[in-house]
């Protein structure tokens, strides 16, 4: 989710979206293959990015998805982090950064929301951050797991499959 050149604050928050074709009756998930750094090029992630200072996580997610993949979204619920994976918020957390988060690469913390395109049928577009975008079928469940995911995203994909009852 966060590139290898990001080695800043260990507790910095990043956000991502599990963008489904439809929140009520999902059949596919938007998967994004990274362009860089070289050691992660071609690996898949959930799209998103860093939360800027004084920015709410939900605002950051909408901004990042618009910038990275040209996609406006409608947010659903947040994907709950299992207690054994929870990374607590730092003492000096910013606005909206007081919730538990998933562990992400390079010591970052990540919050993940379910989402759907704001305009039905909108597929997004790969920009500079991603080699390609793929809408992957949710059934069978192992279809998602076959992709070469970033290691930090694997437990999130497993939790997503479980949350969707797959």
């Amino acid at each position: 989710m966060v590139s290898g050149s990001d080695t800043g604050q260990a507790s910095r928050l990043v956000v991502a979206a599990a963008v489904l074709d439809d929140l009520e009756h999902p059949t596919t998930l938007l998967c994004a293959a990274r362009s860089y750094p070289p050691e992660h090029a071609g690996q898949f992630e959930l799209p998103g990015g860093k939360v800027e200072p004084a920015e709410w996580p939900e605002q950051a997610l909408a901004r990042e998805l618009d910038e990275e993949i040209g996609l406006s979204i409608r947010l659903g619920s947040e994907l709950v982090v299992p207690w054994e994976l929870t990374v607590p918020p730092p003492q000096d957390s910013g606005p909206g950064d007081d919730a538990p988060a998933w562990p992400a690469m390079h010591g970052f913390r990540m919050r993940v929301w379910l989402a759907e395109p704001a305009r039905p049928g909108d597929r997004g577009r790969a920009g500079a951050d991603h080699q390609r975008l793929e809408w992957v079928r949710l059934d069978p469940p192992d279809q998602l797991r076959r992709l070469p995911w970033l290691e930090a995203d694997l437990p999130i994909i497993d939790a997503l499959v479980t949350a969707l009852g797959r």
Side-chain angles (χ1 to χ4, degrees):
M1 169 68 243
V2 178
S3 75
S5 62
D6 299 320
T7 57
Q9 302 168 317
S11 62
R12 185 143 182 214
L13 184 65
V14 294
V15 289
V19 182
L20 302 161
D21 58 331
D22 184 300
L23 285 170
E24 293 295 317
H25 304 287
T27 61
T28 58
L29 173 71
L30 178 62
C31 305
R34 289 196 61 81
S35 293
Y36 62 88
E39 65 270 20
H40 295 302
Q43 288 184 293
F44 283 84
E45 68 179 357
L46 296 174
K50 293 181 190 131
V51 177
E52 297 299 331
E55 188 175 40
W56 286 87
E58 297 88 343
Q59 292 171 319
L61 185 55
R63 176 185 52 75
E64 286 284 349
L65 292 177
D66 182 51
E67 291 173 3
E68 281 190 9
I69 61 174
L71 187 65
S72 295
I73 56 157
R74 184 174 11 268
L75 278 183
S77 59
E78 187 168 358
L79 191 59
V80 178
V81 186
W83 68 269
E84 66 272 10
L85 294 178
T86 298
V87 178
Q91 290 182 347
D92 62 342
S93 58
D97 187 15
D98 55 354
W102 297 86
M105 293 179 0
H106 307 295
F108 283 75
R109 302 170 54 252
M110 182 165 50
R111 291 178 61 191
V112 179
W113 279 265
L114 301 179
E116 66 183 4
R119 292 178 301 277
D122 193 350
R123 310 290 284 171
R125 59 166 168 62
D129 292 335
H130 299 102
Q131 293 176 351
R132 68 186 185 280
L133 301 179
E134 288 187 28
W135 286 87
V136 178
R137 294 203 53 82
L138 297 171
D139 289 315
D142 64 340
Q143 185 78 14
L144 281 177
R145 293 182 179 110
R146 290 183 200 151
L147 295 176
W149 289 96
L150 291 174
E151 188 174 331
D153 282 29
L154 286 171
I156 299 167
I157 295 304
D158 288 339
L160 174 64
V161 167
T162 300
L164 295 175
R166 301 300 203 270

